[in-house]
Amino acid sequence: MTITFIGHGYVGLVSACVFADFGNEVYVIGRNKEKINRLKKGDPIIYEPGLKELLEKNLKAKRINFTLDYKKPISSSEIVFITVGTPPKENGEADLSSVFEVARNIAKNLGYHFTVVSCKSTVPVGTNKKVQKILEKHVPKKAQFAIASCPEFLREGSAISDTINADRVVIGSESKKAIKLLLKLHEPIAGKKIVTDLASAELIKYTSNAMLATKISFANLISFYCEKTGADVETVLDAVGLDKRIGRVFMYPGLGYGGSCLPKDVMALIDTGKKLNIDTLFLEAVEKVNQQAKENFLKKILKHQQGKKIAIWGLSFKPNTDDVRFAPSLFIIDNLLKNEFEITVYDPEAEKNIKKIFGNKISYVDTPYQAVKNADQLAILTEWNEFKQINLKKIKNLLKNPIIFDGRNIYDPILLKKLGFKYFSIGR
Ligand code: UGA
């Protein structure tokens, strides 16, 4: 099939590479010349494991094409995917301006054959109907098209395998022809295919992300109870999670959820709820606990610190990505600076993105060992694999004081005590 993706962030670029790899002819449209040139040369711009290799492979096979131009890709595609960002506005509402702008550009360039226009960007329930109206207003007379919602469930850090091995493919549309084409495209993906209406498809995406956020906030809330009572949150959740009705996955307490999806989508669902006159108390509590998780960790550092020099390991909102959007590290660094800490950070991928925000207010090093040298304490904010079995004896010798604040529970408290560390983790 010939298909087009508009937008080359995590969803657009990963999906484009995966569908090109299945043998489709794929176009990716962007609006920044410099970025399109980098993509043409095989630079994915973002860090995502395996993405560079997949991009290079499909560029070489000439199955993926990057362009600034709408005409050729849109007029020759059977399916056009909108994969642009929907960042939160100040009031939490999703900013749909890029989606609507792209819809106008698609409309003007549609060919005369049947085209499916499918939104993969996360958009509030009702948005696809608005996209349909824009298309109807701007399409050439002879163009035939149908709208479909095809939300994406990939995670950063495991985006390629999540796309290929998706648990489910959701297709929402009123057009049988559109559903047929989308089912055909998604055939190589093993997950269950859910065919439904537009509104349900849109809401499935928000429900998934809000449920994931709820599980994390629930785990964090229970960690607060554990800290006040001496219970161990990992044991509590391990035992609770053995109940098949509950499960253990996505119930890891820590510094709360960050990233470009869960925080934004909970905010947008609250905003939609308010517009629909639904009480959003529950989702607001999920957000509040998420904030408290970060505050609780900061308070621990401020209370038990042994000096103003602190090493930080991990800056990205989760491992295997360089993304720092809504990362807990932003809140922690900002507040430590307000409290006059001297901060040295280490992250295998995200330092360049943190540098854009904090510049020379903090110091950057190339190894975790350099970060702890002569620091008064260490704080761990992201659970990168390379920290899990690091030489802790060496770390103890390099630190001025053997103190670790672990926001991700990566070490065994008994072992750390044996090694002579003062170890503060979450809910243990
Ligand atoms: C999330 C969803 O998991 C994807 O299914 C969805 O497609 C994506 O948003 C999206 O809407 O595009 P992502 O933001 O990449 O994916 O990352 P997650 O793995 O969901 O992690 C989000 C945050 O929750 C991270 O900060 C992580 O550290 C935190 N988390 C996760 C916890 O604190 N505890 C857990 O048990 C799990």
Side-chain angles (χ1 to χ4, degrees), residues 329-343:
S329 63
L330 302 181
F331 173 86
I332 302 291
I333 293 175
D334 196 37
N335 280 283
L336 288 176
L337 284 174
K338 280 183 190 145
N339 282 277
E340 287 160 2
F341 275 80
E342 211 179 293
I343 306 171

Side-chain angles (χ1 to χ4, degrees), residues 153-156 205 209 250 252 258 261 317-318 408:
F153 300 98
L154 62 81
R155 290 164 297 175
E156 289 181 26
K205 173 68 191 190
N209 276 1
F250 239 78
Y252 289 92
C261 304
F317 81 97
K318 62 184 270 191
R408 301 292 180 177

Side-chain angles (χ1 to χ4, degrees), residues 291-420:
Q291 185 56 24
Q292 286 169 347
K294 288 179 277 198
E295 284 165 5
N296 192 37
F297 187 71
L298 178 71
K299 270 188 212 152
K300 262 184 228 169
I301 298 179
L302 297 181
K303 186 170 171 195
H304 299 285
Q305 48 103 357
Q306 291 293 309
K308 290 289 183 185
K309 273 182 112 175
I310 188 161
I312 290 183
W313 287 356
L315 301 167
S316 52
F317 81 97
K318 62 184 270 191
N320 300 324
T321 178
D322 60 358
D323 197 342
V324 299
R325 287 175 287 176
F326 287 94
S329 63
L330 302 181
F331 173 86
I332 302 291
I333 293 175
D334 196 37
N335 280 283
L336 288 176
L337 284 174
K338 280 183 190 145
N339 282 277
E340 287 160 2
F341 275 80
E342 211 179 293
I343 306 171
T344 303
V345 298
Y346 168 74
D347 186 288
E349 295 295 336
E351 284 183 21
K352 63 177 185 311
N353 285 334
I354 281 288
K355 212 171 191 168
K356 288 180 200 157
I357 299 165
F358 293 104
N360 56 14
K361 287 188 194 149
I362 58 177
S363 309
Y364 309 84
V365 290
D366 296 329
T367 71
Y369 296 106
Q370 282 170 333
V372 292
K373 200 172 172 196
N374 290 326
D376 291 307
Q377 57 261 314
L378 162 68
I380 303 172
L381 309 186
T382 316
E383 67 279 31
W384 285 92
N385 269 345
E386 65 184 88
F387 305 147
K388 291 181 181 163
Q389 293 189 328
I390 203 158
N391 185 339
L392 286 167
K393 282 190 185 140
K394 196 168 156 187
I395 298 300
K396 192 175 167 233
N397 289 336
L398 287 167
L399 276 167
K400 238 191 264 164
N401 310 296
I403 303 179
I404 299 180
F405 298 94
D406 178 1
R408 301 292 180 177
N409 285 358
I410 60 178
Y411 301 126
D412 173 3
I414 296 169
L415 175 75
L416 274 261
K417 201 175 168 190
K418 256 194 213 153
L419 290 173

Side-chain angles (χ1 to χ4, degrees), residues 9-35:
Y10 286 91
V11 174
L13 187 58
V14 171
S15 309
C17 287
V18 166
F19 284 110
D21 208 51
F22 287 152
N24 296 288
E25 183 173 357
V26 178
Y27 289 96
V28 179
I29 304 177
R31 58 177 176 190
N32 177 315
K33 198 171 172 189
E34 187 233 315
K35 286 188 178 168

